[in-house]
Amino acid sequence: IVILLTCFSGLIGRSWAMVFASGGFSVKLYDNQPGQAAKALTEIRKQLEELEEGHMLRGELTAAQQFALLSSYDDLAQALEGCFFVQECVFEQLEVKQNIFQDIEQLVGKDVILSSSTSCLVPSNVFSKVQNRSRCLVSHPVNPPYHVKLVELVPHPETVRTIMDTTHAIMTKVGQAPVCLKKEIDGFAVNRVQAAIIAESWRLVRDGIISVKDIDLVMSEGLGMRYAFIGPMETMHLNAPKGLEDYMQRYGEGIMRVLTSFGPVPDFFSEGSKSIFNEMCELIPTDQQHLAARKEKRDQLLMGLAKLKKDH
């Protein structure tokens, strides 16, 4: 079985390659820049070996066995030979995605699933140049996909149920946690929820209610502690003696009162935003050394959390 990644060899593409290989699939990486896919393999080998050394390698196969499942291509037609699932991971530019799927459709059979990793472009736009849209969907991962298992499956209005079911089964087999949206919507589910958190966090800092450091602690040492294991609906269900309906009877009016006090969508580009930018940069400077160190720490913590969740 072969899965193709059309990836331009970026971070998401490399992560997807590692995820699919961990599930035992043969993975063919394609990049339209000569040599880039081969270069990505070199980086993947290093990451797999480091993960194995740290006992954090996913799947039942060794790092060497997983790496043996990977191959790189500079020619799209060669890369597509024998594939049954295409996961596109190019940058977030609509026309580029539209054109590459138009090219792919000319080179694959009618049963091959066409999937995009887009985080903000709805399927009806991404696949507008594809003739057979019944086999198209978005599979939006959360960065970094290797450590954060959630993937949103978003159907095109013409996507048939069997394509959603097959993709759900594939994602489950490789150890991801797929969720199916019933129809497309701007921002999907993850980014809509995230946008709501960002907006209110921004307003609270902007209005002088709390600092950047402390609003992050509200999540990392408060809400995020339980949200790492249960979601907001179950949280409410467990926080009242008789479940969700009881919770709303007790707290619903207060929640509605607070929601009506929310201000309009913040202007993230206003002059006043500079103070928020500066406050964040004082905590974590934007030079590559500081950012890279913080990202590495983030990934180490995510690996530890992933292991804890797996063991429980």
Side-chain angles (χ1 to χ4, degrees), residues 69-89:
L69 294 170
L70 305 174
S71 55
S72 64
Y73 296 82
D74 297 331
D75 181 85
L76 182 58
Q78 290 181 355
L80 287 165
E81 288 180 8
C83 74
F84 79 99
F85 187 93
V86 177
Q87 184 69 37
E88 165 270 318
C89 307

Side-chain angles (χ1 to χ4, degrees), residues 22-79:
S22 75
F25 289 106
S26 295
V27 183
K28 302 168 78 174
L29 289 89
Y30 162 78
D31 194 300
N32 72 339
Q33 299 296 316
Q36 284 299 109
K39 185 178 179 181
L41 287 185
T42 301
E43 180 63 28
I44 289 172
R45 182 200 289 271
K46 177 183 176 184
Q47 288 181 275
L48 290 174
E49 291 173 350
E50 289 176 351
L51 288 164
E52 186 172 52
E53 186 177 338
H55 305 289
M56 292 302 297
L57 187 69
R58 289 174 55 167
E60 302 299 322
L61 303 176
T62 66
Q65 289 172 325
Q66 292 185 27
F67 185 76
L69 294 170
L70 305 174
S71 55
S72 64
Y73 296 82
D74 297 331
D75 181 85
L76 182 58
Q78 290 181 355

Side-chain angles (χ1 to χ4, degrees), residues 218-236 238-239 247 305 309:
V218 166
M219 182 62 71
S220 64
E221 298 296 334
L223 296 176
M225 292 289 287
R226 56 192 180 198
Y227 286 172
F229 296 93
I230 60 175
M233 305 301 281
E234 185 177 348
T235 295
M236 291 185 290
L238 299 181
N239 278 359
Y247 182 93
L305 181 59
K309 287 168 69 73

Side-chain angles (χ1 to χ4, degrees), residues 64-124:
Q65 289 172 325
Q66 292 185 27
F67 185 76
L69 294 170
L70 305 174
S71 55
S72 64
Y73 296 82
D74 297 331
D75 181 85
L76 182 58
Q78 290 181 355
L80 287 165
E81 288 180 8
C83 74
F84 79 99
F85 187 93
V86 177
Q87 184 69 37
E88 165 270 318
C89 307
V90 306
F91 46 87
E92 292 288 276
Q93 187 172 330
L94 179 59
E95 187 175 357
V96 174
K97 290 181 182 290
Q98 290 173 332
N99 290 339
I100 199 166
F101 276 117
Q102 187 177 36
D103 292 342
I104 289 170
E105 187 178 35
Q106 307 304 314
L107 298 168
V108 299
K110 60 182 177 63
D111 296 327
V112 175
I113 298 173
L114 305 183
S115 174
S116 174
S117 293
T118 180
S119 62
C120 62
L121 302 172
V122 293
S124 57

